[in-house]
Amino acid sequence: MRVIPVDTSTATLLVTKLPEVKVKDRQTGEVAVDPQTNQRLMVVELVFIAQGGSDMIKVTVPEPGIGDGLAMGAPVILSGLVARPWESEFAGRARHGIAFRADALMVSAPAPVQG
């Protein structure tokens, strides 16, 4: 599967839904874990604002990578953000999309006041 690095250096990212545990199987309630580290995975929803537009995205982050102090509307910084295109077939219907994954998510420090 192709992994595409995402540059967020010129984007503004704001929290629209606080992190929740990622569920691997909704029927059993099985929690998703990173296959290499066995760390529990979390999903956070963000608004990604760049180049005069915005999009809502969901980003998967390992639980230890979630920084302290997250709040609704908080500006955040993502470390190691990548996009992975995916496609599948369910009940005879083709589906596709982009999954976002980051190593860490931290509250962005406010800009210093000048004066």
Side-chain angles (χ1 to χ4, degrees), residues 7-73:
D7 178 11
T8 60
S9 62
T10 61
T12 298
L13 300 156
L14 304 173
V15 175
T16 58
K17 188 171 181 184
L18 295 173
E20 294 181 345
V21 174
K22 183 171 184 171
V23 177
K24 182 177 181 178
D25 185 330
R26 292 181 198 167
Q27 290 182 331
T28 65
E30 180 183 0
V31 172
V33 296
D34 184 284
Q36 291 153 346
T37 64
N38 210 34
Q39 295 172 331
R40 193 162 69 156
L41 297 174
M42 307 295 285
V43 176
V44 62
E45 290 185 20
L46 307 172
V47 63
F48 186 105
I49 305 166
Q51 299 176 349
S54 65
D55 288 292
M56 300 295 289
I57 64 172
K58 291 183 181 182
V59 180
T60 300
V61 182
E63 189 171 28
I66 302 289
D68 295 329
L70 286 182
M72 293 293 292

